[in-house]
């Protein structure tokens, strides 16, 4: 599935497209493609994610076409397509490539045993033909199975840089061509098996890596699996079963008991109880009647009804969720810049170290040419930065995926990283700490009819409660005007009325009870007042307590007066109160906390609080399920449960911890492996042969992906002990394995 969306920016229409990229072997490949895409006229942004194998491109369609983007990727030496890569097919291809490479390389293992066991069956008869057989077997491995490495090296050279492919191509070429020269010069020192098995082990690593990476995107597959496959559409009086992608806006869709609702819509006929747990997290079904909205992929439990399709295809709630998750998984966290900077200089540095290693052994210490070349090759191979390129994106893919499973939509690596640094969090009151469904509790004077008439024209959250309270005939209102943060005015029967914040009288008792009081006046004369109360969410107090235990300062911000605000704050355990704050001033209050050196998160409804959400270091928008496309927050909480705010911060901390662990794994193996590969410790019997260096390199990538996959065990509010302990066990295990490789190599070294 590919997505495109239009972005209005500086009065120019640009389009974002996601392309699937194939042929990448490391993060350097991703950087090469990014640089090539940015050269295309009309491209304003290009992000390539190595782990997800996707490119996210913003371009001007009047200046560039999709084919131009695909050609740019092809020019860089890779392949791009709007169609998503078939992960199962990719895994199968890598497996077949490994099998072919292994079958060709396997006889050379048998030949290697002749060096240790002269009595081995066939040793005497086959020994004269070992060279020619090894040459024949290793050549297709080098130039057919290993062709991708040469293409990658050539692409990097065209961009005047080096990448992982460069290291593999150089390392295997040294072993192969040195062996070819020796073979034709009748010199017995041959290393065909080194080149062949190096490529074989790297391909094995790629197969295992692809298999593990496939599991990082399981969240998207699960979300896609929620979608109904067909819809029962009524057209021209006839009921038809059509594929879900053929439903159009305005279609009448029949939904029977036990079926998934195919698309978002509004009920035209009938009623039922709907299981919306996949969106809202509520276990109890919700009663729906004529005029109510329903969400696609939710389950109809009891009755039969007809809906009018209002949002289909990419506009549907589920598609928007999938789009947000895909964008997040293709994004880069700021910490990725660190890995990119290391990768940029790491490969050239490794080549220099390898050349120095060769020079010291051959020119200074007088070692044999073969010994020096194998040390050179081992250094080249062991230092491939594949694992470093996987460290950040794999963790982000799994972390954002787990968040989506639990109703937490993290819009990318940047908000994910920001969440773990939060030191202060500001909650909007209405609809965030409270349920946002106020009810009229007190009426002072005969003011309900006039007040309800005025509020009919208002969009304020309290207006609906007042209008709903009055069931009679309403007055006609003219010259209606809303005064932000104060109230509303309007003319009824030639008289101008004001309804809003009390101006003339005080209502201490009502306000101290947590009620919001609105006063009705006419010509500076008070006619009466109405008190409205909003109930606090059951989970708000628990969420606040958990945040405070984490050492985060919790604030409440509201336009209510100090007494009302204090009453609500006391119910949830908040002592830091910002009251009587106008909507346009909320962002200024965020700035004040930021000026104190705090990283601030703002939690609001994503509409009225948009400026404050944008100003905060992290904006967290409370969603209702149908508004998941909100652009105002870096994190969207679908279930409207404040405990998910805490869970989002917990998840971000665990994900960032995984990224740091992954970077340690990546750098630890490279840094520790280089001196062993350079044969610095040969006096202690530690020598790493190039082919085993290749296997060790592959294992480092696997360790990084496996560590990221441990995030799949994340459960809100629970400690993931396996995830905590596993990195320690992996460090010990892989270090031991690495040491054993070196010991084994010492007995094979020439």
């Amino acid at each position: 599935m590919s997505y495109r969306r239009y972005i209005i920016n500086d009065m120019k229409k640009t389009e974002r497209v996601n392309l699937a990229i194939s042929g990448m072997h490391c993060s350097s490949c991703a950087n090469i493609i990014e640089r090539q895409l940015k050269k295309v006229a009309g491209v304003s942004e290009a992000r390539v994610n190595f782990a997800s194998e996707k490119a996210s491109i913003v371009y001007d369609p009047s200046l560039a076409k999709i084919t131009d983007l695909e050609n740019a990727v092809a020019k860089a030496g890779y392949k791009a397509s709007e169609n998503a890569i078939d992960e199962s097919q990719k895994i199968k291809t890598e497996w077949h490539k490994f099998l072919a490479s292994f079958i060709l390389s396997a006889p050379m293992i048998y030949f290697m045993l002749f060096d240790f066991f002269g009595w081995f069956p066939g040793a005497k008869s086959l020994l004269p033909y070992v060279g020619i057989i090894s040459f024949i077997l290793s050549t297709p491995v080098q130039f057919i199975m290993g062709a991708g490495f040469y293409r990658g090296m050539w692409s990097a050279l065209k961009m005047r840089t080096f990448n992982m492919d460069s290291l593999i191509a150089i390392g295997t070429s040294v072993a192969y061509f040195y062996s070819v020269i020796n073979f034709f010069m009748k010199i017995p020192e041959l290393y065909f098996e080194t080149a062949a098995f190096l490529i074989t082990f790297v391909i094995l690593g790629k197969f295992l890596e692809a298999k593990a990476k496939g599991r990082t995107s399981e969240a998207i597959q699960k979300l896609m699996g929620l979608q109904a496959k067909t819809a029962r559409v009524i057209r021209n009086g006839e009921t038809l079963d059509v594929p879900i992608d053929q439903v159009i806006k305005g279609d009448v869709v029949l939904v029977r008991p036990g079926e998934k609702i195919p698309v978002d819509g509004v009920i035209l006929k009938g009623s039922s109880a709907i299981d919306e747990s996949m969106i809202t997290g509520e276990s109890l079904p919700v009663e729906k009647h004529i005029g109510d909205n329903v969400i696609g992929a939710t389950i109809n439990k009891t009755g039969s009804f007809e809906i009018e399709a209002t949002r289909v295809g990419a506009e549907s709630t589920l598609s928007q969720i999938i789009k947000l998750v895909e964008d997040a998984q293709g994004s880069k966290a700021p910490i990725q810049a660190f890995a990119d900077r290391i990768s940029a200089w790491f490969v050239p540095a490794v080549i220099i170290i390898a050349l120095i290693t060769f020079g010291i052994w051959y020119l200074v210490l007088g070692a044999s040419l073969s010994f020096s070349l194998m040390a050179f090759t081992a250094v080249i191979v062991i230092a491939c930065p594949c694992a470093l390129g996987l460290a950040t994106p794999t963790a982000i893919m799994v972390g954002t995926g787990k968040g989506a499973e639990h109703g937490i939509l993290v819009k990318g690596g940047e908000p994910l990283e920001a969440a773990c640094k939060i030191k202060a969090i500001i909650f909007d009151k209405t609809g965030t700490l409270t349920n946002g469904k106020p009810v009229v509790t007190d009426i002072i004077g005969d003011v309900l009819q006039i007040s309800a008439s005025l509020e009919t024209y208002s969009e304020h959250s309290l207006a609906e409660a007042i209008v709903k309270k009055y069931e009679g005939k309403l007055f006609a209102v003219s010259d209606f005007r809303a005064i932000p943060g104060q109230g509303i005015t309007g003319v009824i029967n030639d008289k101008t009325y004001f309804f809003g914040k009390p101006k003339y009288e005080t209502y201490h008792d009502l306000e101290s009870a947590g009620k919001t009081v609105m006063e009705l006046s006419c010509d500076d004369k008070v006619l009466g007042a109405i008190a409205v109360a909003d109930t606090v969410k059951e989970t708000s107090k628990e969420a606040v307590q958990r945040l405070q235990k984490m050492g985060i300062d919790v604030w409440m911000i509201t336009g209510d007066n100090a007494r009302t605000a204090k009453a609500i704050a006391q119910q949830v355990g908040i002592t830091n109160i910002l009251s009587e704050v106008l909507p346009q001033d909320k962002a200024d209050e965020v700035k004040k906390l930021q000026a104190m050196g705090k990283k601030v998160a703002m939690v609001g409804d994503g509409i009225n609080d948009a400026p404050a959400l944008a100003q905060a270091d992290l904006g967290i928008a409370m969603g209702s399920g149908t508004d998941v496309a909100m652009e105002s927050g870096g994190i969207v909480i679908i279930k409207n449960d404040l405990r998910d705010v805490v869970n989002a911060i917990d998840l971000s901390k665990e994900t960032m911890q995984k990224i740091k662990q992954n970077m340690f794994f990546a750098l630890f193996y490279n840094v520790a492996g280089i001196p062993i590969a350079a044969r610095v410790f040969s006096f202690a019997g530690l020598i790493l042969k190039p082919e085993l260096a290749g296997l060790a390199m592959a294992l480092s990538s696997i360790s990084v992906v496996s560590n990221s996959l441990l995030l799949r065990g994340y459960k809100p509010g629970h400690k993931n002990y396996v995830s905590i302990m596993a990195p320690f066990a992996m460090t010990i295990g892989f270090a031991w394995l690495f040491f054993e490789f070196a010991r084994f190599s010492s007995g094979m070294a020439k």
Side-chain angles (χ1 to χ4, degrees):
M1 177 185 299
S2 66
Y3 291 92
R4 299 189 203 175
R5 64 174 174 169
Y6 293 96
I7 306 163
I8 306 299
N9 189 12
D10 297 329
M11 305 305 292
K12 279 185 173 181
K13 187 167 77 170
T14 59
E15 187 176 347
R16 181 184 294 276
V17 65
N18 291 328
L19 298 179
I21 308 293
S22 57
M24 292 189 295
H25 291 143
C26 66
S27 57
S28 295
C29 301
N31 293 332
I32 290 169
I33 297 170
E34 281 185 2
R35 287 163 59 183
Q36 196 66 47
L37 283 168
K38 288 175 181 177
K39 292 181 180 179
V40 179
V43 172
S44 56
E45 180 187 323
R47 298 197 315 266
V48 180
N49 189 305
F50 164 53
S52 63
E53 298 182 309
K54 290 179 182 175
S56 179
I57 308 154
V58 177
Y59 70 103
D60 184 344
S62 65
L63 299 175
K65 296 181 173 62
I66 297 292
T67 52
D68 297 327
L69 305 177
E70 291 175 345
N71 291 336
V73 175
K75 190 176 179 181
Y78 306 89
K79 186 179 179 182
S81 171
E82 279 198 89
N83 299 318
I85 297 171
D86 187 338
E87 290 294 334
S88 61
Q89 186 58 45
K90 182 188 172 185
I91 293 170
K92 192 181 292 184
T93 301
E94 291 290 345
W95 174 248
H96 289 159
K97 192 187 295 184
F98 164 71
L99 276 181
S101 187
F102 180 77
I103 290 170
L104 290 170
S105 304
M108 286 179 272
I109 297 178
Y110 187 74
F111 298 156
M112 286 169 61
L113 296 173
F114 296 169
D115 294 334
F116 299 95
F117 311 105
W119 52 265
F120 221 67
K124 290 183 179 180
S125 58
L126 291 175
L127 197 59
Y129 307 102
V130 165
I132 185 64
I133 295 172
S134 297
F135 171 67
I136 293 171
L137 293 174
S138 65
T139 299
V141 176
Q142 185 71 34
F143 298 108
I144 298 178
M145 283 71 179
F149 302 117
Y150 285 105
R151 285 195 297 268
M153 181 177 69
W154 177 242
S155 300
L157 289 174
K158 287 194 294 183
M159 302 297 290
R160 298 179 181 179
T161 186
F162 294 98
N163 59 6
M164 172 227 164
D165 293 331
S166 307
L167 298 180
I168 300 298
I170 293 170
T172 58
S173 295
V174 167
Y176 177 82
F177 287 109
Y178 178 72
S179 300
V180 170
I181 293 170
N182 282 358
F183 172 69
F184 285 105
M185 292 183 68
K186 310 290 185 185
I187 299 172
E189 290 182 347
L190 304 178
Y191 294 90
F192 288 116
E193 79 282 354
T194 296
F197 270 100
L198 180 49
I199 290 173
T200 301
F201 285 143
V202 171
I203 294 172
L204 173 62
K206 289 295 166 188
F207 162 71
L208 296 173
E209 185 183 298
K211 199 166 182 179
K213 277 169 44 182
R215 297 172 66 189
T216 63
S217 57
E218 281 184 357
I220 291 180
Q221 300 303 320
K222 285 181 180 178
L223 287 170
M224 288 180 172
L226 295 174
Q227 179 70 65
K229 301 298 185 289
T230 61
R232 192 170 289 106
V233 179
I234 303 174
R235 294 174 180 170
N236 301 321
E238 187 179 354
T239 303
L240 306 170
D241 286 337
V242 301
I244 194 69
D245 58 1
Q246 293 184 15
V247 180
I248 60 176
K249 194 180 294 185
D251 269 340
V252 177
V253 181
L254 174 64
V255 185
R256 293 172 179 169
E259 294 180 341
K260 285 183 179 178
I261 299 173
V263 295
D264 295 8
V266 60
I267 295 180
L268 300 175
K269 183 179 177 182
S271 62
S272 184
I274 309 296
D275 179 0
E276 295 184 337
S277 57
M278 58 83 68
I279 294 291
T280 66
E282 294 292 335
S283 58
L284 294 176
V286 181
E287 292 292 333
K288 298 283 186 176
H289 305 280
I290 293 174
D292 289 338
N293 292 313
V294 293
I295 303 169
T298 56
I299 300 172
N300 179 27
K301 301 295 288 185
T302 54
S304 178
F305 56 87
E306 295 175 8
I307 64 170
E308 179 185 349
T310 55
R311 294 200 285 187
V312 300
E315 295 180 353
S316 70
T317 297
L318 185 61
S319 293
Q320 289 182 55
I321 293 174
I322 293 171
K323 175 67 170 65
L324 284 175
V325 176
E326 282 197 324
D327 284 351
Q329 295 193 337
S331 68
K332 290 186 178 182
I335 198 172
Q336 178 68 36
F338 170 73
D340 290 342
R341 284 196 300 270
I342 292 178
S343 296
W345 61 259
F346 196 75
V347 174
V350 167
I351 294 175
I352 293 170
I353 293 170
L355 289 170
I356 292 171
T357 299
F358 174 82
I360 290 175
W361 277 114
Y362 188 65
L363 300 174
V364 179
L365 299 177
S368 67
L369 179 60
S370 61
F371 185 95
S372 305
L373 281 175
M374 291 303 102
F376 169 88
T377 303
V379 170
I380 286 276
V381 173
I382 195 64
C384 285
C386 308
L388 193 61
L390 293 166
T392 298
T394 53
I396 289 176
M397 288 173 71
V398 182
T400 54
K402 287 305 293 184
E405 285 183 25
H406 295 286
I408 303 166
L409 299 184
V410 184
K411 293 185 177 180
E414 190 170 344
L416 189 72
E417 186 170 339
C420 69
K421 299 176 182 178
I422 295 302
K423 296 299 179 185
I425 189 164
I426 303 174
F427 288 101
D428 178 52
K429 180 181 77 71
T430 305
T432 303
L433 287 168
T434 65
N435 288 301
K437 296 179 180 178
V439 293
V440 174
T441 58
D442 301 87
I443 302 173
I444 303 171
D446 186 17
V447 298
L448 185 58
Q449 185 179 14
I450 295 174
S451 301
S453 300
L454 292 168
E455 290 287 18
T456 302
Y457 297 84
S458 173
E459 296 181 351
H460 195 277
S461 57
L462 303 180
E464 185 180 354
I466 295 171
V467 173
K468 194 178 286 186
K469 184 69 175 177
Y470 185 74
E471 298 178 349
K473 185 179 179 181
L474 299 172
F475 293 119
V477 180
S478 60
D479 296 331
F480 175 85
R481 183 165 63 93
I483 307 170
Q486 297 297 322
I488 55 178
T489 68
V491 176
I492 298 176
N493 297 330
D494 298 325
K495 292 183 178 180
T496 301
Y497 293 90
F498 171 82
F499 185 62
K501 279 189 174 182
K503 292 183 178 181
Y504 306 103
E505 294 187 15
T506 56
Y507 306 88
H508 295 315
D509 292 343
L510 293 172
E511 290 170 347
S512 297
K515 299 175 181 180
T516 300
V517 181
M518 291 167 286
E519 190 176 70
L520 181 67
S521 61
C522 180
D523 298 327
D524 298 334
K525 181 181 178 183
V526 178
L527 303 179
I530 295 177
V532 178
D534 191 5
T535 55
V536 172
K537 291 178 181 176
E538 292 181 2
T539 58
S540 293
K541 188 173 182 178
E542 180 186 342
V544 169
Q545 288 176 340
R546 287 175 61 187
L547 288 168
Q548 290 169 340
K549 284 182 181 178
M550 294 166 67
I552 297 174
D553 293 335
V554 183
W555 296 70
M556 185 185 81
I557 193 166
T558 179
D560 286 341
N561 63 71
R563 284 182 296 275
T564 302
K566 185 179 179 181
I568 297 295
Q570 284 178 338
Q571 293 182 47
V572 295
I574 295 176
T575 55
N576 302 312
I577 305 167
L578 300 168
S579 58
E580 300 184 43
V581 180
L582 298 176
Q584 61 269 29
D585 295 332
K586 288 183 178 180
D588 292 332
E589 297 296 334
V590 174
K591 286 180 184 177
K592 290 177 183 177
L593 284 178
Q594 289 173 327
M596 295 166 61
K598 296 178 182 290
K599 294 290 184 182
V600 181
M602 174 71 194
V603 185
D605 62 14
I607 302 170
N608 297 328
D609 304 309
L613 287 165
Q615 175 61 43
D617 298 283
L618 174 65
I620 302 177
M622 305 299 291
S624 63
T626 57
D627 297 317
V628 295
M630 286 187 285
E631 298 291 338
S632 45
I635 295 177
V636 178
I637 305 298
I638 295 180
K639 299 175 185 177
N640 273 325
D641 188 337
L642 285 189
R643 290 176 299 184
D644 283 342
V645 173
V646 189
N647 296 332
I649 294 173
D650 270 340
L651 180 62
S652 77
K653 288 183 175 181
E654 191 162 339
T655 304
M656 291 306 300
Q657 187 65 28
K658 279 287 167 253
I659 290 173
K660 292 172 182 177
Q661 291 169 358
N662 288 346
M663 286 187 171
F664 166 77
F665 284 139
L667 294 172
F668 172 75
Y669 290 121
N670 283 341
V671 173
I674 287 175
I676 298 175
R679 306 193 171 186
V680 173
F681 304 110
S682 57
F683 65 90
L686 294 178
I687 294 174
L688 195 61
K689 283 183 68 69
E691 56 266 44
L692 290 178
L695 183 57
M697 181 268 293
L699 289 174
S700 70
S701 296
I702 295 164
S703 69
V704 164
V705 179
S706 300
N707 192 45
S708 294
L709 286 171
L710 292 173
L711 284 168
R712 296 168 72 241
Y714 170 81
K715 292 181 180 178
H718 293 82
K719 286 280 188 184
N720 189 355
Y721 290 105
V722 174
S723 181
I724 295 170
M725 298 304 298
F728 298 100
M730 288 168 65
T731 302
I732 296 169
F734 279 104
W736 173 82
L737 196 61
F738 196 86
F739 181 75
E740 289 300 309
F741 281 176
R743 284 183 51 187
F744 183 69
S745 292
S746 66
M748 302 170 60
K750 299 178 183 179

